[in-house]
PDB file of all heavy atoms in Angstrom:
ATOM      1  N   PRO W1382       6.454  71.441  71.043  1.00 96.00           N
ATOM      2  CA  PRO W1382       6.643  69.993  70.942  1.00 96.00           C
ATOM      3  C   PRO W1382       7.158  69.649  69.547  1.00 96.00           C
ATOM      4  O   PRO W1382       6.995  70.433  68.597  1.00 96.00           O
ATOM      5  CB  PRO W1382       5.225  69.433  71.152  1.00 96.00           C
ATOM      6  CG  PRO W1382       4.480  70.519  71.847  1.00 96.00           C
ATOM      7  CD  PRO W1382       5.061  71.808  71.362  1.00 96.00           C
ATOM      8  N   HIS W1385       5.494  66.852  63.259  1.00 96.00           N
ATOM      9  CA  HIS W1385       5.814  66.058  62.071  1.00 96.00           C
ATOM     10  C   HIS W1385       5.657  66.939  60.846  1.00 96.00           C
ATOM     11  O   HIS W1385       4.564  67.423  60.559  1.00 96.00           O
ATOM     12  CB  HIS W1385       4.900  64.839  61.970  1.00 96.00           C
ATOM     13  CG  HIS W1385       5.189  63.799  63.004  1.00 96.00           C
ATOM     14  ND1 HIS W1385       5.881  62.642  62.709  1.00 96.00           N
ATOM     15  CD2 HIS W1385       4.906  63.745  64.320  1.00 96.00           C
ATOM     16  CE1 HIS W1385       6.005  61.921  63.819  1.00 96.00           C
ATOM     17  NE2 HIS W1385       5.419  62.563  64.806  1.00 96.00           N
ATOM     18  N   GLY W1402      -2.831  78.651  66.853  1.00 84.00           N
ATOM     19  CA  GLY W1402      -3.897  78.977  67.812  1.00 84.00           C
ATOM     20  C   GLY W1402      -3.856  80.436  68.224  1.00 84.00           C
ATOM     21  O   GLY W1402      -3.408  81.306  67.478  1.00 84.00           O
ATOM     22  N   LEU W1428       8.351  76.768  56.054  1.00 97.00           N
ATOM     23  CA  LEU W1428       7.858  78.018  55.469  1.00 97.00           C
ATOM     24  C   LEU W1428       6.478  78.384  56.027  1.00 97.00           C
ATOM     25  O   LEU W1428       6.161  79.567  56.198  1.00 97.00           O
ATOM     26  CB  LEU W1428       7.793  77.895  53.943  1.00 97.00           C
ATOM     27  CG  LEU W1428       9.145  77.941  53.210  1.00 97.00           C
ATOM     28  CD1 LEU W1428       8.975  77.536  51.751  1.00 97.00           C
ATOM     29  CD2 LEU W1428       9.762  79.327  53.312  1.00 97.00           C
ATOM     30  N   GLN W1445      13.432  57.272  70.171  1.00 92.00           N
ATOM     31  CA  GLN W1445      12.353  56.317  70.420  1.00 92.00           C
ATOM     32  C   GLN W1445      12.086  55.427  69.204  1.00 92.00           C
ATOM     33  O   GLN W1445      12.442  55.749  68.079  1.00 92.00           O
ATOM     34  CB  GLN W1445      11.084  57.058  70.831  1.00 92.00           C
ATOM     35  CG  GLN W1445      11.251  57.949  72.050  1.00 92.00           C
ATOM     36  CD  GLN W1445      11.766  57.183  73.269  1.00 92.00           C
ATOM     37  OE1 GLN W1445      11.446  56.014  73.456  1.00 92.00           O
ATOM     38  NE2 GLN W1445      12.570  57.843  74.089  1.00 92.00           N
ATOM     39  N   TRP W1461      24.768  61.756  56.626  1.00 97.00           N
ATOM     40  CA  TRP W1461      25.284  63.126  56.601  1.00 97.00           C
ATOM     41  C   TRP W1461      24.947  63.852  55.303  1.00 97.00           C
ATOM     42  O   TRP W1461      24.689  65.052  55.317  1.00 97.00           O
ATOM     43  CB  TRP W1461      26.794  63.111  56.854  1.00 97.00           C
ATOM     44  CG  TRP W1461      27.135  62.700  58.270  1.00 97.00           C
ATOM     45  CD1 TRP W1461      26.315  62.089  59.172  1.00 97.00           C
ATOM     46  CD2 TRP W1461      28.392  62.869  58.936  1.00 97.00           C
ATOM     47  NE1 TRP W1461      26.971  61.859  60.366  1.00 97.00           N
ATOM     48  CE2 TRP W1461      28.249  62.331  60.250  1.00 97.00           C
ATOM     49  CE3 TRP W1461      29.609  63.405  58.564  1.00 97.00           C
ATOM     50  CZ2 TRP W1461      29.287  62.327  61.175  1.00 97.00           C
ATOM     51  CZ3 TRP W1461      30.664  63.408  59.483  1.00 97.00           C
ATOM     52  CH2 TRP W1461      30.493  62.873  60.775  1.00 97.00           C
ATOM     53  N   ILE W1479      18.041  78.338  61.011  1.00 97.00           N
ATOM     54  CA  ILE W1479      17.825  76.904  61.204  1.00 97.00           C
ATOM     55  C   ILE W1479      18.746  76.420  62.323  1.00 97.00           C
ATOM     56  O   ILE W1479      19.929  76.772  62.353  1.00 97.00           O
ATOM     57  CB  ILE W1479      18.063  76.118  59.894  1.00 97.00           C
ATOM     58  CG1 ILE W1479      17.902  74.602  60.093  1.00 97.00           C
ATOM     59  CG2 ILE W1479      19.438  76.402  59.323  1.00 97.00           C
ATOM     60  CD1 ILE W1479      16.491  74.167  60.177  1.00 97.00           C
ATOM     61  N   CYS W1481      19.636  72.873  65.137  1.00 98.00           N
ATOM     62  CA  CYS W1481      19.542  71.407  65.215  1.00 98.00           C
ATOM     63  C   CYS W1481      19.703  70.945  66.663  1.00 98.00           C
ATOM     64  O   CYS W1481      20.449  71.550  67.435  1.00 98.00           O
ATOM     65  CB  CYS W1481      20.628  70.734  64.373  1.00 98.00           C
ATOM     66  SG  CYS W1481      20.511  71.075  62.617  1.00 98.00           S
ATOM     67  N   VAL W1493      32.304  65.416  67.169  1.00 98.00           N
ATOM     68  CA  VAL W1493      32.814  66.738  66.791  1.00 98.00           C
ATOM     69  C   VAL W1493      32.684  66.950  65.279  1.00 98.00           C
ATOM     70  O   VAL W1493      32.233  68.007  64.816  1.00 98.00           O
ATOM     71  CB  VAL W1493      34.278  66.897  67.252  1.00 98.00           C
ATOM     72  CG1 VAL W1493      34.922  68.109  66.579  1.00 98.00           C
ATOM     73  CG2 VAL W1493      34.343  67.031  68.764  1.00 98.00           C
ATOM     74  N   LYS W1494      33.069  65.954  64.479  1.00 98.00           N
ATOM     75  CA  LYS W1494      32.970  66.075  63.019  1.00 98.00           C
ATOM     76  C   LYS W1494      31.506  66.215  62.578  1.00 98.00           C
ATOM     77  O   LYS W1494      31.199  66.954  61.630  1.00 98.00           O
ATOM     78  CB  LYS W1494      33.603  64.846  62.361  1.00 98.00           C
ATOM     79  CG  LYS W1494      35.115  64.807  62.485  1.00 98.00           C
ATOM     80  CD  LYS W1494      35.687  63.535  61.889  1.00 98.00           C
ATOM     81  CE  LYS W1494      37.204  63.470  62.084  1.00 98.00           C
ATOM     82  NZ  LYS W1494      37.775  62.192  61.587  1.00 98.00           N
ATOM     83  N   PRO W1539      26.600  79.148  68.598  1.00 97.00           N
ATOM     84  CA  PRO W1539      26.182  78.896  69.987  1.00 97.00           C
ATOM     85  C   PRO W1539      25.806  77.427  70.199  1.00 97.00           C
ATOM     86  O   PRO W1539      25.295  76.767  69.294  1.00 97.00           O
ATOM     87  CB  PRO W1539      24.960  79.800  70.155  1.00 97.00           C
ATOM     88  CG  PRO W1539      25.086  80.831  69.105  1.00 97.00           C
ATOM     89  CD  PRO W1539      25.765  80.168  67.949  1.00 97.00           C
ATOM     90  N   ALA W1567      14.466  69.003  80.313  1.00 94.00           N
ATOM     91  CA  ALA W1567      13.208  68.346  79.943  1.00 94.00           C
ATOM     92  C   ALA W1567      12.547  67.783  81.204  1.00 94.00           C
ATOM     93  O   ALA W1567      11.654  68.397  81.772  1.00 94.00           O
ATOM     94  CB  ALA W1567      13.469  67.242  78.926  1.00 94.00           C
ATOM     95  N   GLU W1578      14.445  79.061  88.569  1.00 96.00           N
ATOM     96  CA  GLU W1578      14.432  80.075  89.633  1.00 96.00           C
ATOM     97  C   GLU W1578      15.257  79.627  90.831  1.00 96.00           C
ATOM     98  O   GLU W1578      15.506  80.416  91.745  1.00 96.00           O
ATOM     99  CB  GLU W1578      13.001  80.347  90.105  1.00 96.00           C
ATOM    100  CG  GLU W1578      12.160  81.137  89.133  1.00 96.00           C
ATOM    101  CD  GLU W1578      10.778  81.433  89.700  1.00 96.00           C
ATOM    102  OE1 GLU W1578      10.187  80.542  90.344  1.00 96.00           O
ATOM    103  OE2 GLU W1578      10.288  82.551  89.502  1.00 96.00           O
ATOM    104  N   GLU W1589      -1.875  74.375  90.630  1.00 97.00           N
ATOM    105  CA  GLU W1589      -2.989  75.317  90.551  1.00 97.00           C
ATOM    106  C   GLU W1589      -2.707  76.417  89.527  1.00 97.00           C
ATOM    107  O   GLU W1589      -3.598  76.815  88.767  1.00 97.00           O
ATOM    108  CB  GLU W1589      -3.255  75.929  91.929  1.00 97.00           C
ATOM    109  CG  GLU W1589      -3.902  74.956  92.900  1.00 97.00           C
ATOM    110  CD  GLU W1589      -4.001  75.499  94.320  1.00 97.00           C
ATOM    111  OE1 GLU W1589      -3.339  76.527  94.623  1.00 97.00           O
ATOM    112  OE2 GLU W1589      -4.724  74.896  95.128  1.00 97.00           O
ATOM    113  N   CYS W1600      -5.862  72.930  76.257  1.00 94.00           N
ATOM    114  CA  CYS W1600      -5.092  71.927  75.532  1.00 94.00           C
ATOM    115  C   CYS W1600      -5.750  70.571  75.814  1.00 94.00           C
ATOM    116  O   CYS W1600      -6.603  70.468  76.696  1.00 94.00           O
ATOM    117  CB  CYS W1600      -3.627  71.933  75.984  1.00 94.00           C
ATOM    118  SG  CYS W1600      -3.383  71.526  77.722  1.00 94.00           S
ATOM    119  N   GLU W1626      -7.799  57.790  90.443  1.00 94.00           N
ATOM    120  CA  GLU W1626      -8.835  58.771  90.104  1.00 94.00           C
ATOM    121  C   GLU W1626      -8.327  59.759  89.059  1.00 94.00           C
ATOM    122  O   GLU W1626      -9.058  60.121  88.136  1.00 94.00           O
ATOM    123  CB  GLU W1626      -9.273  59.522  91.372  1.00 94.00           C
ATOM    124  CG  GLU W1626     -10.110  58.675  92.315  1.00 94.00           C
ATOM    125  CD  GLU W1626     -10.618  59.474  93.513  1.00 94.00           C
ATOM    126  OE1 GLU W1626     -10.739  60.713  93.389  1.00 94.00           O
ATOM    127  OE2 GLU W1626     -10.883  58.855  94.552  1.00 94.00           O
ATOM    128  N   ILE W1636     -10.131  67.012  87.081  1.00 96.00           N
ATOM    129  CA  ILE W1636      -8.703  67.054  87.408  1.00 96.00           C
ATOM    130  C   ILE W1636      -8.451  68.073  88.507  1.00 96.00           C
ATOM    131  O   ILE W1636      -7.666  67.832  89.435  1.00 96.00           O
ATOM    132  CB  ILE W1636      -7.880  67.390  86.143  1.00 96.00           C
ATOM    133  CG1 ILE W1636      -7.862  66.180  85.217  1.00 96.00           C
ATOM    134  CG2 ILE W1636      -6.456  67.792  86.515  1.00 96.00           C
ATOM    135  CD1 ILE W1636      -7.078  66.375  83.943  1.00 96.00           C
ATOM    136  N   CYS W1671       8.081  70.189  95.067  1.00 95.00           N
ATOM    137  CA  CYS W1671       8.619  69.920  93.730  1.00 95.00           C
ATOM    138  C   CYS W1671      10.098  69.550  93.827  1.00 95.00           C
ATOM    139  O   CYS W1671      10.894  70.299  94.410  1.00 95.00           O
ATOM    140  CB  CYS W1671       8.464  71.153  92.838  1.00 95.00           C
ATOM    141  SG  CYS W1671       6.773  71.511  92.359  1.00 95.00           S
ATOM    142  N   LEU W1711       8.032  39.292  81.824  1.00 62.00           N
ATOM    143  CA  LEU W1711       8.131  40.730  81.610  1.00 62.00           C
ATOM    144  C   LEU W1711       6.808  41.234  81.064  1.00 62.00           C
ATOM    145  O   LEU W1711       6.333  40.754  80.046  1.00 62.00           O
ATOM    146  CB  LEU W1711       9.257  41.028  80.614  1.00 62.00           C
ATOM    147  CG  LEU W1711      10.678  40.842  81.159  1.00 62.00           C
ATOM    148  CD1 LEU W1711      11.664  40.944  80.022  1.00 62.00           C
ATOM    149  CD2 LEU W1711      10.978  41.870  82.215  1.00 62.00           C
ATOM    150  N   ASN W1725      -6.658  38.738  88.258  1.00 76.00           N
ATOM    151  CA  ASN W1725      -6.599  37.303  87.984  1.00 76.00           C
ATOM    152  C   ASN W1725      -6.221  36.998  86.543  1.00 76.00           C
ATOM    153  O   ASN W1725      -6.100  35.833  86.166  1.00 76.00           O
ATOM    154  CB  ASN W1725      -7.953  36.655  88.295  1.00 76.00           C
ATOM    155  CG  ASN W1725      -8.307  36.774  89.776  1.00 76.00           C
ATOM    156  OD1 ASN W1725      -7.431  36.638  90.631  1.00 76.00           O
ATOM    157  ND2 ASN W1725      -9.563  37.046  90.080  1.00 76.00           N
ATOM    158  N   LYS W1735      -8.643  27.857  73.401  1.00 70.00           N
ATOM    159  CA  LYS W1735      -8.412  27.387  72.043  1.00 70.00           C
ATOM    160  C   LYS W1735      -9.702  27.526  71.232  1.00 70.00           C
ATOM    161  O   LYS W1735     -10.776  27.088  71.668  1.00 70.00           O
ATOM    162  CB  LYS W1735      -7.976  25.912  72.056  1.00 70.00           C
ATOM    163  CG  LYS W1735      -6.724  25.646  72.886  1.00 70.00           C
ATOM    164  CD  LYS W1735      -5.511  26.351  72.287  1.00 70.00           C
ATOM    165  CE  LYS W1735      -4.252  26.045  73.106  1.00 70.00           C
ATOM    166  NZ  LYS W1735      -3.083  26.780  72.606  1.00 70.00           N
ATOM    167  N   TYR W1736      -9.602  28.162  70.085  1.00 73.00           N
ATOM    168  CA  TYR W1736     -10.774  28.354  69.235  1.00 73.00           C
ATOM    169  C   TYR W1736     -10.729  27.390  68.057  1.00 73.00           C
ATOM    170  O   TYR W1736      -9.663  27.118  67.502  1.00 73.00           O
ATOM    171  CB  TYR W1736     -10.807  29.791  68.712  1.00 73.00           C
ATOM    172  CG  TYR W1736     -10.995  30.831  69.785  1.00 73.00           C
ATOM    173  CD1 TYR W1736      -9.903  31.558  70.258  1.00 73.00           C
ATOM    174  CD2 TYR W1736     -12.244  31.079  70.328  1.00 73.00           C
ATOM    175  CE1 TYR W1736     -10.061  32.515  71.247  1.00 73.00           C
ATOM    176  CE2 TYR W1736     -12.417  32.037  71.317  1.00 73.00           C
ATOM    177  CZ  TYR W1736     -11.321  32.754  71.773  1.00 73.00           C
ATOM    178  OH  TYR W1736     -11.490  33.702  72.761  1.00 73.00           O
ATOM    179  N   PHE W1752     -21.133  25.949  58.148  1.00 79.00           N
ATOM    180  CA  PHE W1752     -20.052  25.533  57.253  1.00 79.00           C
ATOM    181  C   PHE W1752     -18.721  25.391  57.981  1.00 79.00           C
ATOM    182  O   PHE W1752     -17.703  25.081  57.364  1.00 79.00           O
ATOM    183  CB  PHE W1752     -19.878  26.563  56.123  1.00 79.00           C
ATOM    184  CG  PHE W1752     -21.111  26.793  55.313  1.00 79.00           C
ATOM    185  CD1 PHE W1752     -21.557  28.078  55.073  1.00 79.00           C
ATOM    186  CD2 PHE W1752     -21.832  25.731  54.792  1.00 79.00           C
ATOM    187  CE1 PHE W1752     -22.683  28.307  54.325  1.00 79.00           C
ATOM    188  CE2 PHE W1752     -22.967  25.950  54.037  1.00 79.00           C
ATOM    189  CZ  PHE W1752     -23.407  27.234  53.804  1.00 79.00           C
ATOM    190  N   CYS W1770     -27.367  30.093  55.877  1.00 63.00           N
ATOM    191  CA  CYS W1770     -26.609  29.910  57.113  1.00 63.00           C
ATOM    192  C   CYS W1770     -26.916  31.093  58.013  1.00 63.00           C
ATOM    193  O   CYS W1770     -26.845  32.244  57.561  1.00 63.00           O
ATOM    194  CB  CYS W1770     -25.107  29.854  56.825  1.00 63.00           C
ATOM    195  SG  CYS W1770     -24.098  29.880  58.343  1.00 63.00           S
TER     196      CYS W1770
END
Side-chain angles (χ1 to χ4, degrees):
H1385 289 257
L1428 286 169
Q1445 303 303 326
W1461 291 16
I1479 177 77
C1481 297
V1493 166
K1494 289 177 183 176
E1578 287 183 320
E1589 287 172 346
C1600 62
E1626 288 184 25
I1636 287 180
C1671 289
L1711 287 171
N1725 297 321
K1735 303 295 182 184
Y1736 295 101
F1752 303 130
C1770 171

